[in-house]
Amino acid sequence: MVPTTQAEPDDRELVQTIRGGDSLAFEQLVRRKTSKVYALCYRIIGNAEDAKDISQLVFIKLWENLEKYDPAYAFDTWLYRMVTNVAIDFMRNKQSRDNAVNSTLRLVKTEAAAEQAVVVQRKEIENVFNEISSVLSPKQKTIFVMNQMDDMPSSEIAKILGCRESTVRNHLFNARKLMQTQLQKRYPEYARLWRAQ
Amino acid sequence: MINCPEFRSAFQPGTEDADVLAHLRACDRCLDHAAHVDPDVMFRALGTGEMIPPGGIDAFVEDVMRGVQIRTADTVVSRRVLSWPRRLAVAATIAAGFTGATLFMTHQQPAPAGTPVAALASHHTAVRALSTKPVVENYSSSNATIVEVPNEGASEAQVVLVVDDTLPADL
């Protein structure tokens, strides 16, 4: 007897199966998308535990709203829309809570520090990003993350966020400008490296 | 995935090459090199690919499925509440409560004058009673307090006191 290899169902097929009441198919979908959803949440939120909670919330919302998904559109676009909506909402609430705290975290480095040669390290970049991106609006940060770290073109981001491509480009430009200003204030040694375009 | 020498020879500022970017996001040794050639890749190097949530994928999926089960159970319970016998019971309770409250309020209110003829007769009596006691003086005040002394029998006269500190004492 020749063993048959069954191809993995694609996202749309899985959704159809889930709609038929198969919770195992949903588990399969969650397993498939977890690392991507969590990574995006983590980059937007900047905190592992919060990112985990938000990712779980995204999947529960996905389960509740699966009937609304139109298979004519890409599943990932729909999923990312859910991720960005939940993450942006969370960030808005968090920012309003943290505003007072952030105002005391303005670290300014000396001119001498600016002249030091920088050995670029991943963990350090991550810390720098988390700190300087705190000045961005949740939407600006989301767009920056999707474009710069997830390599998404602005047309795709516009589809996900339901806005015009020019709006996305505008947000990107402003995000870079704001981050450059923060880099100059807090990490002048990196500001020489990274520039606003 | 390409190796380090391949990456360093292929890396160009502003690159969109998926293999080059994948290497950049995985290799710490090449990151410093790339960031000095094209500083714009500094934050791009962070990437969003393949991250494991704290506790691992299995625990994460378990938590999600538990959350889904709880939500589903909630939905089932709320649907059961809305089944027709329960709806009927809720409607009957509300109707009984409303009827009871209406009856209670009706019972507490003074008895109505009865028929329109009776109401008219009582109005005539009041007019007649007033006409025997002419008005001494009219005045208006926003500070007056009206005290009504309850009468004990139907034959007793109703005593009403009007107390107003702003009026002159010799009025």
Side-chain angles (χ1 to χ4, degrees), chain A residues 170-185:
Chain A
N170 204 23
H171 276 304
L172 265 175
F173 178 78
N174 288 331
R176 297 180 74 94
K177 249 174 68 173
L178 283 167
M179 285 169 72
Q180 179 67 11
T181 310
Q182 288 303 309
L183 263 186
Q184 273 164 357
K185 278 185 188 169

Side-chain angles (χ1 to χ4, degrees), chain B residues 5-78:
Chain B
E6 284 170 339
F7 171 81
R8 291 185 189 212
S9 61
F11 183 74
Q12 297 288 325
T15 184
E16 292 294 334
D17 188 310
D19 285 339
V20 171
L21 287 172
H23 184 88
L24 174 75
R25 286 166 181 158
C27 179
D28 288 338
R29 280 180 299 171
C30 291
L31 172 63
D32 187 57
H33 164 81
H36 283 88
V37 174
D38 177 17
D40 205 39
V41 299
M42 197 163 76
F43 294 127
R44 293 197 79 174
L46 293 178
T48 62
E50 299 305 312
M51 277 191 190
I52 308 296
I57 299 263
D58 288 341
F60 179 91
V61 175
E62 260 177 45
D63 286 346
V64 171
M65 295 311 289
R66 201 174 303 125
V68 164
Q69 275 170 1
I70 290 168
R71 297 282 178 121
T72 311
D74 284 350
T75 314
V76 169
V77 167
S78 62

Side-chain angles (χ1 to χ4, degrees), chain A residues 78-115:
Chain A
W78 189 69
L79 175 64
Y80 276 33
R81 179 174 290 189
M82 209 164 276
V83 174
T84 53
N85 282 343
V86 177
I88 287 172
D89 271 359
F90 174 82
M91 290 292 286
R92 281 186 181 142
N93 291 330
K94 190 170 178 282
Q95 270 189 355
S96 61
R97 286 198 306 271
D98 292 352
N99 269 351
V101 179
N102 281 343
S103 62
T104 62
L105 291 176
R106 288 166 61 98
L107 303 173
V108 179
K109 294 207 174 177
T110 59
E111 284 297 313
E115 297 305 317

Side-chain angles (χ1 to χ4, degrees), chain B residues 21 38 45 56 66 84 103 108-109 132-133 140 148 152 156 161 164:
Chain B
L21 287 172
D38 177 17
R66 201 174 303 125
W84 73 265
L103 282 172
Q108 288 295 306
Q109 278 173 359
T132 57
K133 293 169 185 149
S140 62
E148 201 173 311
E152 298 210 331
E156 240 182 71
L161 300 174
D164 190 345

